[in-house]
Amino acid sequence: MTQAHPSATARDTPPDGSSALLLPAHWRAQLDTQLAGDERILAWLEIDLDARLHFSSGVLVVTSERLLSAEGKCWTSWTFRPGLSLSRRDHSGVGTLELTDADHLLAHWRYTLGADVAAGRLVDHFTRQLAYHVTGELPPPSTVALCPKCETPLLAGQEECPACSKEIHEPPSTWTLLRLGRFARPYRGRLLAAFALSLLTTAATLVAPYLTMPLMDKVLIPYQNGQPIDPQLVAFYLSGLLGSSLFAWVLGWGRTYILALVSERIGADLRTTTYEHLLKLSQEYFGGKRTGDLMARIGSETDRINIFISLHLLDFATDVLMIVMTTAILVSIDPWLAAVTLLPLPIIGWLIHVVREKLRTGFERVDRIWAEVTNVLADTIPGIRVVKAFAQENREAARFRAANVRNLDVNDRVNRVWSVFSPTVTLLTEIGLLIVWAFGIWQIAKDQITVGVLTAFLAYISRFYLRLDSMSRIVSVTQKAAAGAKRIFDILDHVSSVPEPMHPVHLPKVSGRIELRGVGFRYGTRSVTRDINIVIKPGEMVGLVGHSGSGKSTLVNLICRFYDVTEGAILIDGVDIRSLPVAEYRKHIGLVLQEPFLFFGTIAENIAYGKPDATHAEIVAAARAAHAHEFILRLPHGYDSLVGERGQALSGGERQRISIARALLIDPRILILDEATSSVDTTTEKEIQKALDNLVRGRTTIAIAHRLSTLRDANRLVVLDRGSVVEVGSHDELMASEGHYYRLYQAQARNVDTEDELRRMELARHDEDDRQ
C-alpha cells in the first residue's frame, strides 16, 4: 500500500480505500465544520470505549494537516509537528492508541479489537503524513507489514490478518482418498490378493452368458427345428454354468473377507494416528475447536471410510473390471452391436461429472452440520447439572431441534440431486437395452447374427448396465468418503505450534531454576504479555498477583509450554524449554488447577494418573500427604470407589485434594498452583492448605491466588498489570511501598471489586500524566 502526494488525493477519499462519506452522518456533519477549505480526510476510526472501558461513541480522524478527535460535540486537534507520535497496542481484547510528543502523553483512546484493522490503517497514514510535514518530502511507502490478501497493516508479531484468517470450508476433492494410501501400504500384499481375486471372480461371472450362445444355437433352436436333444451336450453346458457360479462364489467370499479385514485395520490405524496426532497438538488448537466436532471426525468419519474401503471400493473395482471385460467380449462377438450397446455411456459419464460436483460440496456441508448436532450433545450432556439447575431443558431441546432441522435441510438438498440422478441413469440403461433389442432383431432378420448371439448379448448387456448403474451410485459413497477423509486430514495436516525440538537436549536432573527473559506472548491478534523478566530460584515460592486478564494464567501456560512464547525465552536450569522434549519436560511439573479434572474411574486410578505403575502403598502415601486418605476410607469402596463423570460423585474440596495427591505422586521439581483454593469454603480451604504445605516443601513453586492472604508465605510476589510486571517483592515490602499491590490488597480487604479499583487507579495515573 502506498500513499500518493497529498495534492493528488481527492478530498473525500482516504488512502485506505474507504470513503470519508462512509462516516456516520452525525460525525460527518460535525467534521465539515472543523475542516479548512483545502484540508483532506485521509483516515478515520470510530472510538467505541471510554477511559473507564465503558461503551461510548467517539471518532478519530487523520487529515492532510492534523489529527482530530471528538467525543460528543467536543473536538480537539493536534497539528503535525516534529516529535509527535501515535502508537498502537492491545491487551486482552482492548486496543489503545496513545498520542505523545517528546516528553508527555498528550491523549489516549480505547477501542474494542473489532476496530483494530481500521486503527492500524489510521496509525499507518498518520505516520506517513507526519513524515511528509516534517521532512517536506513525499511520504515514503509504508514500512508496516501488510496482509498479502487484503493489504491490511499487521501488528508486530502478527502473522495472519484477522479478517482473512477465518477457516475456509473448501469442498473436498475425490483425490483426497488417494492420501489413504499411506495407511493401506502395510497391507498391500492382502490388497493385491483381493484385487487378483476380484479379477478372477469377474472373469468367472462372465463365463455363464458366453455358454448361453451354444446352449441356444446347438441345443434349443435345433430342438425346435425337430432335432433331438443331446443329453451329454446339455450336461456339459449346465455343468459349466454351475462350475463357474461355484468358482465365483468361493473367490467372492475370499475377496470380501480379505477386504473386510484390511478395511478394519486401516480404519483402526487411521483412528489411532489421528488421535495420537491430536494429543500432540498445542492448547491453541483445542481453543478453537468443538469437542463434538473432533469426536465426529475420529468416530463417524473413519467408519464411513471403513465402509467405503471394505464394500464400495471393491464394488467399484469389480464394476470397472466387469465393464472393461464385458466390452471386450461384446466387441469380439459383434462390433456393430457392441457400438449400439455403448451409446448411453457418454451421457451417463456427463451426468456423473455434473452430479459429482454438486455432491462433493453437499456432503462436506452435511459433515459440518452433523458436527453441529454432535456439538450440542457434547455441550449439554457434560453440563446437564447446569441445564437442570437453570431449568433450560426446553432451550437445549430447541437448540438440538434447530441443529437437527439444519441437518435435515442440507440432507434434503443432497437427496434432491441424487433422486433425479439415479432414476435418470436407470432410464438411460433401459433405453439402451431397447435399442439393442431393436438393432439385434434387425440383424437377425438380415441373417447377420444368430438368436444365440443376441441372447448372449442381452445377458452380457444386463450385467454391463447393472454395473454401469452401480458405478453411478458409487459416486455418492465416494464423495461421502472424500468429505470424511478431508476432515480427518485437516487434523493430520495441522502442525503443532509447540513443536518437538529438532536436536533435543536432555536434562538428567532438574533443580527447578526458572528464568523468564523478555517474555512476550500474543494470542491471535491480542497481546497478552510483554517484556517479562523474572528469575525464580530452586525451591523458591513465587506468587503471581494481579486482576483478571493481567496475564497470570498465560504465564503459567507458557511455563508449562502449553503455548510457546512469541518473544523472548523461558529457561529451566539455564536451558531453553523449547530445546527439551515436551513430554520429558512436563514430567518435572506438577499442576494443581482451580477446577480439578478427574477422569471416569476409581480414585486410585486418578491419583496414579501421572504414574500408572505406582504401587498401592505409594498411592496411599500421596493421599495421606494430601489429607485425602480419611475421606477416601469413608467411601463405600475406599480407593476403588468410582469418582463419576469428571469427578461429579465428589465434592469440590475432595476433588481438589485428589488432584493434589496426583501431583504429589509424581514428585515434581516444579509445582504450579493455579487458584487451588479459590472455589472452596473456608474450612475446606484450611484442609487443602495443609495438603499444599506438604506439596510445596522443597519444590520450586509458582502460585496464583485471588485471595492475596493465601500468598503471605511466598518468598516473593510478582505483581502483573496488563501483561507486564509492575512490582516484585515480599508481602511486607510491597505493603510498605504502598504501590500497586498495596492498593490491590486494601481493595480486597474492603471487599471492593478488584477490577473496578484497578481501573480507578489507572484513571488516576493517566490524569496525573495529563497534568504533567
Side-chain angles (χ1 to χ4, degrees), residues 596-627:
F597 186 94
L598 300 184
F599 295 92
F600 186 87
T602 66
I603 288 178
E605 289 170 343
N606 273 278
I607 293 176
Y609 184 77
K611 188 179 179 182
D613 57 347
T615 64
H616 184 71
E618 290 175 323
I619 293 172
V620 172
R624 285 182 182 276
H627 288 258

Side-chain angles (χ1 to χ4, degrees), residues 502-565:
M502 293 291 293
H503 304 287
V505 176
H506 301 280
L507 292 178
K509 185 178 180 181
V510 173
S511 65
R513 185 179 188 274
I514 304 173
E515 183 179 357
L516 285 75
R517 292 181 182 173
V519 167
F521 177 71
R522 301 190 67 85
Y523 187 80
T525 61
R526 293 191 295 114
S527 173
V528 184
T529 63
R530 55 187 174 275
D531 195 27
I532 292 181
N533 295 278
I534 305 173
V535 177
I536 305 174
K537 301 174 183 177
E540 185 179 18
M541 181 178 180
V542 171
L544 299 181
V545 177
H547 64 87
S548 297
S550 60
K552 305 186 299 296
S553 295
T554 298
L555 214 55
V556 165
N557 288 333
L558 293 174
I559 293 173
C560 292
R561 212 185 167 207
F562 295 147
Y563 303 91
D564 268 345
V565 298

Side-chain angles (χ1 to χ4, degrees), residues 512-752:
R513 185 179 188 274
I514 304 173
E515 183 179 357
L516 285 75
R517 292 181 182 173
V519 167
F521 177 71
R522 301 190 67 85
Y523 187 80
T525 61
R526 293 191 295 114
S527 173
V528 184
T529 63
R530 55 187 174 275
D531 195 27
I532 292 181
N533 295 278
I534 305 173
V535 177
I536 305 174
K537 301 174 183 177
E540 185 179 18
M541 181 178 180
V542 171
L544 299 181
V545 177
H547 64 87
S548 297
S550 60
K552 305 186 299 296
S553 295
T554 298
L555 214 55
V556 165
N557 288 333
L558 293 174
I559 293 173
C560 292
R561 212 185 167 207
F562 295 147
Y563 303 91
D564 268 345
V565 298
T566 52
E567 298 173 8
I570 298 176
L571 291 81
I572 299 295
D573 293 350
V575 178
D576 193 321
I577 62 174
R578 289 171 292 190
S579 63
L580 302 173
V582 177
E584 182 179 312
Y585 165 65
R586 288 180 183 155
K587 286 181 180 179
H588 300 292
I589 297 177
L591 185 61
V592 180
L593 300 172
Q594 177 181 3
E595 291 293 336
F597 186 94
L598 300 184
F599 295 92
F600 186 87
T602 66
I603 288 178
E605 289 170 343
N606 273 278
I607 293 176
Y609 184 77
K611 188 179 179 182
D613 57 347
T615 64
H616 184 71
E618 290 175 323
I619 293 172
V620 172
R624 285 182 182 276
H627 288 258
H629 181 68
E630 290 75 13
F631 85 78
I632 293 175
L633 291 183
R634 289 195 297 268
L635 296 174
H637 302 287
Y639 283 86
D640 293 326
S641 299
L642 293 175
V643 300
E645 186 77 17
R646 302 191 180 189
Q648 294 300 318
L650 304 175
S651 69
E654 290 170 344
R655 290 197 300 270
Q656 191 63 280
R657 278 176 278 177
I658 288 178
S659 72
I660 292 172
R662 181 168 58 192
L664 273 167
L665 187 62
I666 64 173
D667 191 23
R669 294 305 309 151
I670 300 169
L671 179 64
I672 294 176
L673 308 176
D674 191 353
E675 309 282 3
T677 62
S678 65
S679 58
V680 296
D681 57 75
T682 306
T683 303
T684 306
E685 181 184 356
K686 291 179 180 178
E687 290 294 319
I688 294 176
Q689 196 61 51
K690 293 177 184 177
L692 291 177
D693 290 341
N694 292 332
L695 184 59
V696 303
R697 191 175 297 121
R699 294 182 173 89
T700 303
T701 304
I702 300 173
I704 299 175
H706 272 306
R707 299 176 186 172
L708 302 181
S709 57
T710 62
L711 296 177
R712 296 188 67 170
D713 294 332
N715 300 103
R716 281 186 299 155
L717 298 176
V718 175
V719 185
L720 297 172
D721 180 38
R722 298 174 65 187
S724 298
V725 176
V726 293
E727 286 182 319
V728 178
S730 67
H731 170 78
D732 293 337
E733 291 171 347
L734 295 178
M735 290 296 289
S737 65
E738 297 189 2
H740 194 100
Y741 177 79
Y742 172 82
R743 290 189 290 269
L744 189 64
Y745 192 89
Q746 292 297 323
Q748 193 171 95
R750 296 194 305 269
N751 295 321
V752 177

